[in-house]
Amino acid sequence: MPWQRLSVIVAALWWGGISALSFVAVPTLFASLGNPAVAGPVAARLFSLQCWAGLFLGVVLMLMLRRQRALLATEVSPEGLSELRGLLVTLAVVLLAMLLALVQEFGVAQKIVSARATGGSLRLWHGMGSVLVLGQWVCSGWVLWRLARRVALPPRP
């Protein structure tokens, strides 16, 4: 049970970090600085840090879920097998979010920098980056929702 609660905290940090950066910090940064040429590189650095934090939290979460999977694998009841299937789906969604972060960091972020320098399609690559961040947000939110549901507190007497 403690591992399950700790995994909810890790998922909440991941989803909350993406939420705070994407919906509060970066829009505030652009609104406050007023100049996209100044705010853009700062936002890019923040998104890069979020990517690495997300990868770290994703690995931690995968290790925790793997431990829970090992504990569930010993149960051969239909409920245990159903929960094991759900845990495997959750692991797959964590992997998907991590893959989106890697594509963002090593693919799209590089294209944004080169588009800025060469006059390429900055709008296209910004849009792709936004879709990838949104995908990470949805995946990490789904994982948080799923894990929080599994750790529901018992009813009060």
Side-chain angles (χ1 to χ4, degrees):
M1 187 65 129
W3 284 102
Q4 288 178 336
R5 289 178 189 232
L6 194 54
S7 65
V8 171
I9 292 171
V10 172
L13 285 172
W14 192 6
W15 182 79
I18 295 170
S19 299
L21 177 70
S22 301
F23 303 121
V24 178
V26 169
T28 302
L29 179 69
F30 277 90
S32 298
L33 294 179
N35 184 351
V38 175
V42 177
R45 182 69 181 136
L46 290 173
F47 278 115
S48 182
L49 291 172
Q50 177 60 45
C51 170
W52 290 108
L55 290 171
F56 173 76
L57 292 170
V59 167
V60 169
L61 200 53
M62 287 182 62
L63 292 172
M64 295 172 131
L65 294 174
R66 187 172 171 245
R67 177 166 165 68
Q68 291 175 28
R69 183 195 61 147
L71 294 172
L72 282 174
T74 60
E75 295 181 34
V76 289
S77 68
E79 295 84 22
L81 289 176
S82 175
E83 195 168 340
L84 182 60
R85 264 192 303 273
L87 197 58
L88 291 175
V89 170
T90 303
L91 273 166
V93 174
V94 170
L95 276 173
L96 175 60
M98 293 172 67
L99 177 64
L100 293 173
L102 287 170
V103 170
Q104 174 196 345
E105 180 68 16
F106 294 109
V108 174
Q110 303 304 318
K111 297 289 186 181
I112 291 172
V113 170
S114 67
R116 193 176 286 138
T118 63
S121 182
L122 193 58
R123 176 180 245 170
L124 168 72
W125 294 111
H126 268 274
M128 290 292 293
S130 296
V131 167
L132 291 170
V133 171
L134 181 62
Q136 293 170 63
W137 182 75
V138 168
C139 287
S140 61
W142 184 89
V143 168
L144 174 59
W145 186 269
R146 177 101 178 160
L147 293 176
R149 187 179 68 178
R150 290 181 60 219
V151 183
L153 294 174
R156 292 185 176 192

